[in-house]
Every structure is written in structure tokens, then in C-alpha cells.
Amino acid sequence: MADQGLVRETACAVVDKLKAGDVTPLDLLDVLEKRIAEVDGKVNALPTLCFDRARSHAKALMQKPAAERGLLAGLPVPIKDLTNVAGVLTTQGSPIYKDNVPAKSDILVERLEENGGVIYAKSNTPEFGAGANTFNEVFGFTRNPWDTSRSAAGSSGGAAVALATGTAWLAHGSDMGGSLRNPASFCGIVGLRPSIGRVAHTVSAAVDRNLGVQGPMARNVEDLALLLDAMSGEHPGDPLSLPSPATSFLSAARSGSKPKRIAYSPDLGITPVDPEVKVVTRKAAERFAELGAIVQEAHPDLREAHECFHVLRAFDFAISKAQLLRTKRNLLKPEVIWNIEEGLKLTVEQLERAEAQRVALAARTLEFFDTYDLLLAPATIVPPFPVENRYVAECDGKKFDSIRGRRDRASLSTASLRSVARRATYACSPAAFSAMVSACLVCSTISSSSSSRLILALSPVSRPCSASITMPCSPAQIFSA
């Protein structure tokens, strides 16, 4: 019988065991199936399981020599329920697709399987990934494992909770405006939004659609680097995809390099932030000074970030979901309807202005990184909020009156910055991981140039909530370099 203690191991350690023949992919699937039965009913992280498919894939993989089983060597990985997995229910969190079983997997899934990943589950997401709280009418709410009365954030909430509860060693997610980073912060794990093209995926709606990206989640930075290595690489089906870098992300994560000059901003000059979040993240930033780095309070000029992101996001909803609005309006949630309608009302002049703002934001951000190696900011503007709240309605005395306000302010404006300033973001460089590892409280990061500049988001949670579930590791273990 497989050792249930494996749920506490790091992904890198488990992969080492797989390569050494100490465990098999089938052993790991047995461990996960038992663990899911024990804990997932309390948090609803992985509503769709596909263990029969996973075991078939694992058996086929085990027929290959160990050296030919890929980077992951048979490690199980869950896929966010926005992404197609052949033969597996893929709902996108929408009643429209509650019975959808795709015949073909997304490019991302095919690559993970080629690299030795074994897909065993789909993780929960808000409808079409729209929202900073993971709930939908198909599967319901995903709950924060540290306190099940609280939100796990969104939209990769199911993935984050699976990692925190030991029902996954690694997890796939996606991110437009914080969806890999906010759940990582709320759940005490690590999420990374890679640069455009770093992770190839199946194109939909538009060939050059690039506001959202696919990315990795894990319990620590080295595990995250391992998954990013397995995800990365050029693919002819994704014209924006990039070749894998010459140096692996895992090697870079282990190199020990540290940033020298660091900027910290509690609010980037454009958003309210909960006082607790400011205190906790400022203390985290001060730890870099203790390690010998120069730390100064500063941020780029981001005055257009909100306006620019609102326009570009609405346009993205319009080109990807307008047909659903015309034919299935009664099955869409209000937030999705609002975003599509906002996009359909846009003029060419508004799009022209937003794209120009994006270029300007990127240019100023690049100039900022001529001075600083790293920009630190909170991952979210609030600590975990009640799970029944659809969105954050207030922060530090400021009320958000519209759907737009509630939807956006659940995530810090760094999310908008990383999306709209992305034209300054080239290949997510392996050297970036060296700086990332030195940040023991890291919750998410993105390189801001090919010369390894980073925007790094810190967890706003000063203390873990009373754990409702026996967790596979402590916050100290999660954040150790």
C-alpha cells in the first residue's frame, strides 16, 4: 500500500522517487484518491475526477524506460476546468457546458502529458474564470482550507486549495487579472503568471489574444519551476509561443542569486489597501533589507492602469463570449453579461486609447526597472473574505458601487499592471527564479524583462486562519526557499 505521508513531500522529491523507482505513478494515484476522499468534500477543490483515465495513462507511461518518461516522470497534475482534457468533463464553470466532454485536449495538456504529467482531476473555477471568488452554478463554492468560512479567491481557487490540502503536488492554473496569484496568496501557496508565449495553449477567439496566460502553481518555488519547465516550449498551434530557455527554471531556482535593489509599494499609487495587508507586506519587504538588499518605497507611474485594463478586458469578453450572450444569455451570470456588454459598446477610439495607454505603461515600467531589480507589492488588497460574498464590496472604507468596482478591487492593481504592461514582458527568464527563491514569502512573480526584472506579490495574510483541515505542510514549510 502506498504511503499517505507522500502528500507532505515536495513535488521535486516525489519526482526523484519516481525516477529512482521507489514509487510508481499508480502508487501516487492511490495516495491522491484516498486523500481526496478524506478532505475534498470539505473544500470542493477538485469536483471532477478521472482516475480511470489517469491509471490508463500511467500504465502506458510505465512501459517506457524511466529515462524516457519526461520531466515529471509520472507525477499527477490537476487541470483547471477552463481547459479541455480529452474524454473528461470540462464545464468552464458554466451551466452552458455542464455536460461538455471534449474529444481533444488543449495543447497545454498534451505537452504536460508528453512531459510525464498524469491528469487525474479538474480544479474548480468561477464561470469562465470571471471572478475573484471561486464559485459557480455547476459545482458550487470552493472554500479556503485554513478557514472554510472564507474564500479561496479566484479564479484558480480549486488549484490553490488542492495544493494546500495535499490533493495535488503541482497544479495548472490561468491568469488574466490575478487568477494565479490571488488564490496563491489566500491559500498560502505559490502562483506565477508567466510572460506571453511562455506556456503554449490552444488558440481561441483570436490568434493574437494575449490578455490571459496559462501558468503553474505549487507549494514552493522549486516545485513551481519544475512545472514551468514541463509547461514551456514553442508549439506551431500557438503563434505567440516561445522556445524553452537554454537554462531550465529549476536550475535557475537553485542558483542562489539574489536581487540587489528592490522597490516596495503597498498600493502602487492607484488603489485602496486594507491596513493589515500594508503592515504584513511591509514587514515582508523589510526582510530583504535584512538580507542585504537596498529596499526603497517606489513604484512606476501607473495612472492609466484601471482604465486601460477595463477596456481591454471588456473587449476580450466581447470577442470570446458575445455569441453566448446572443444565444444563452439566461445561462450567464450577471458579471459575465456586464463584461460582454461593456465590450460590445466599445468604440475604435476607446480601443486605440487603451492600446496607447498600454504601450505607455510598458515603457514607464521598463524605465523603472533600469533602477530596480524587483518590485514588491501585495498580491491582493484584502485578506480572505467570507466565502458567500460574490466580490469585495469595500476596502479600507472605500465602497465599490458597480460590478466593475467589486470585481476588480478583489485583486490588487498589480494584476492589471501585469496584464496591460505585458508588452514590456519578454521571455520569463530563468534568472528571475534565482531572485524569486531568495524571497521566502513569495506568493507570485512575473519577469518584467529579459534581464530578469521582477514584479513580486507578497501574501497579505499575517497569520494562518484556524485550519479546518489537517494540512500537508505549514506556512513556514511552504515559504522556505
Side-chain angles (χ1 to χ4, degrees), residues 161-179:
V161 173
L163 288 163
T165 56
T167 58
W169 287 282
L170 298 172
H172 156 258
S174 59
D175 190 314
M176 176 185 285
S179 291

Side-chain angles (χ1 to χ4, degrees), residues 353-394:
R353 176 179 170 83
E355 291 290 0
Q357 289 173 330
R358 189 180 183 188
V359 170
L361 279 163
R364 292 198 301 269
T365 301
L366 275 178
E367 183 178 1
F368 180 83
F369 283 114
D370 287 339
T371 303
Y372 297 100
D373 301 312
L374 193 65
L375 171 59
L376 303 177
T380 66
I381 64 171
V382 292
F385 52 86
V387 69
E388 62 271 13
N389 292 3
R390 293 176 72 93
Y391 16 64
V392 174
E394 182 178 351

Side-chain angles (χ1 to χ4, degrees), residues 92-163:
Q92 300 190 53
S94 169
I96 295 171
Y97 296 110
K98 64 182 179 63
D99 299 315
N100 174 53
V101 179
K104 183 173 175 57
S105 292
D106 191 277
I107 288 170
L108 164 76
V109 174
E110 293 176 346
R111 169 148 290 150
L112 282 175
E113 291 183 329
E114 290 167 1
N115 278 323
V118 176
I119 311 306
Y120 67 98
K122 301 299 292 293
S123 60
N124 205 20
T125 176
E127 182 177 311
F128 301 120
N133 188 8
T134 297
F135 68 91
N136 59 63
E137 293 188 15
V138 182
F139 297 121
F141 287 91
T142 292
R143 296 176 178 273
N144 193 308
W146 298 103
D147 181 342
T148 54
S149 72
R150 297 280 155 172
S151 169
S155 63
S156 303
V161 173
L163 288 163

Side-chain angles (χ1 to χ4, degrees), residues 166-323:
T167 58
W169 287 282
L170 298 172
H172 156 258
S174 59
D175 190 314
M176 176 185 285
S179 291
L180 281 159
R181 295 154 286 156
N182 297 342
S185 173
F186 274 25
C187 295
I189 57 99
V190 188
L192 179 141
R193 179 197 164 98
S195 304
I196 300 169
R198 175 52 61 213
V199 179
H201 64 281
T202 299
V203 172
S204 64
V207 171
D208 61 347
R209 186 179 173 208
N210 61 15
L211 207 58
V213 299
Q214 309 295 308
M217 304 180 83
R219 291 185 205 148
N220 63 57
V221 175
E222 288 192 7
D223 286 357
L224 190 85
L226 171 67
L227 182 54
L228 186 56
D229 281 330
M231 287 179 159
S232 296
E234 195 170 14
H235 193 287
D238 182 352
L240 300 181
S241 61
L242 300 169
S244 297
T247 302
S248 75
F249 291 104
L250 183 55
S251 295
R254 292 171 171 170
S255 71
S257 177
K258 297 179 180 179
K260 296 179 180 179
R261 194 173 184 91
I262 296 171
Y264 163 72
S265 176
D267 57 14
L268 300 178
I270 55 175
T271 184
V273 177
D274 185 280
E276 181 185 6
V277 173
K278 291 182 180 180
V279 170
V280 173
T281 56
R282 189 179 299 277
K283 287 181 180 178
E286 289 170 355
R287 291 185 61 183
F288 285 87
E290 295 168 7
L291 293 171
I294 297 171
V295 180
Q296 298 175 324
E297 189 160 329
H299 58 75
D301 178 0
L302 306 173
R303 58 183 179 272
E304 314 101 322
H306 286 306
E307 179 187 353
C308 178
F309 185 64
H310 293 157
V311 170
L312 296 179
R313 184 189 62 195
F315 181 63
D316 186 84
F317 267 88
I319 63 173
S320 62
K321 304 289 187 297
Q323 182 61 22

